[in-house]
Amino acid sequence: MNIRKLIYRIVGCIGLVLGAIGAVMPLLPAFPFLLLAACCFGKSSEKLHQWFVGTKLYQNNLESYVQGKGMTKKTKIRVMTIVTLLMAIGFLMMHRVWIGQLVLAGVWVFHMIYFIFGIKTISEQEVESAYPWRIQLHIDGMHCEHCAKRLESAFQQRGKLKAEVNFKNKTAIVYGREAIQKELLHQIVHQAGFAIVQMS
């Protein structure tokens, strides 16, 4: 195995672990790490790549993006920032391995070019059109930003759903590709540790 593929696998495994943690810990974003893992596995091991795309992590967090829906400008900037920070950590850890640093720097440049030119930039309106169904929930039990992120993560993990939660107003706007039964909404919110007091 050449050193380039080895580094891709190492970085991919780091991205996978951090993405898996982010899927259950709302303060750590899962998407950019899982996307990094997908890119690295795709360039280093067909077996690892095929295994990864069959996991729930991939299907719930990346599948719709990979199918060509693109990203908003805001999302691109956020993802590129996190990828840069992750790669910077790896770069510093390899301070005695200049070949590794060189390869990692090349990977970083590739990712920046890919995110800027290779991924379609879509408007917020296009994102909204992909989730035509929406409902506003008034939530009881939220006390901080961490609560809001936990609830957003709970909806995201269901697939085909996303939510924007405002803990100050105690509200959550839930977006879906199709209508969601009220019982399921109550179940998701309850499992996250909160309660719905009103729907509108």
Side-chain angles (χ1 to χ4, degrees):
M1 182 188 302
N2 63 48
I3 190 167
R4 182 174 64 87
K5 286 190 176 182
L6 177 61
I7 291 174
Y8 269 125
R9 288 190 182 188
I10 292 172
V11 174
C13 289
I14 292 172
L16 176 60
V17 171
L18 292 175
I21 294 172
V24 296
M25 293 181 61
L27 293 180
L28 185 67
F31 178 84
F33 295 121
L34 295 176
L35 182 60
L36 177 63
C39 292
C40 290
F41 288 157
K43 292 181 177 299
S44 63
S45 171
E46 181 62 26
K47 287 184 178 180
L48 273 176
H49 179 69
Q50 290 301 323
W51 168 80
F52 181 54
V53 298
T55 64
K56 288 292 185 181
L57 275 175
Y58 176 90
Q59 293 167 4
N60 291 341
N61 294 279
L62 289 181
E63 192 169 48
S64 62
Y65 155 72
V66 173
Q67 289 174 351
K69 291 180 173 61
M71 289 183 182
T72 63
K73 184 178 179 180
K74 181 179 178 181
T75 301
K76 275 190 177 185
I77 292 173
R78 184 176 73 249
V79 171
M80 287 191 291
T81 299
I82 294 173
V83 167
T84 299
L85 291 174
L86 177 63
M87 295 244 178
I89 293 171
F91 188 86
L92 293 173
M93 291 175 64
M94 294 183 182
H95 65 280
R96 294 184 180 179
V97 186
W98 68 269
I99 294 178
Q101 287 184 322
L102 186 63
V103 172
L104 201 56
V107 172
W108 178 81
V109 170
F110 168 79
H111 277 87
M112 294 304 103
I113 294 173
Y114 177 69
F115 277 114
I116 294 170
F117 301 107
I119 297 176
K120 179 183 177 183
T121 302
I122 59 177
S123 66
E124 294 289 347
Q125 289 74 22
E126 288 178 286
V127 175
E128 291 177 359
S129 67
Y131 293 87
W133 181 86
R134 64 199 62 191
I135 189 170
Q136 182 171 335
L137 311 177
H138 296 267
I139 308 295
D140 182 44
M142 292 193 301
H143 306 291
C144 61
E145 285 286 357
H146 177 75
C147 294
K149 294 298 182 183
R150 187 166 82 240
L151 185 54
E152 287 180 355
S153 178
F155 279 106
Q156 181 181 335
Q157 290 175 22
R158 288 286 177 157
K160 299 182 180 181
L161 287 175
K162 69 172 188 172
E164 295 176 359
V165 182
N166 187 324
F167 88 92
K168 292 182 180 179
N169 296 332
K170 312 297 185 194
T171 60
I173 301 177
V174 181
Y175 302 89
R177 295 179 188 170
E178 56 189 26
I180 307 300
Q181 294 182 350
K182 292 182 178 180
E183 291 78 9
L184 178 57
L185 293 173
H186 279 286
Q187 179 184 351
I188 295 171
V189 173
H190 177 72
Q191 289 177 347
F194 312 108
I196 299 174
V197 295
Q198 184 180 345
M199 297 184 182
S200 58

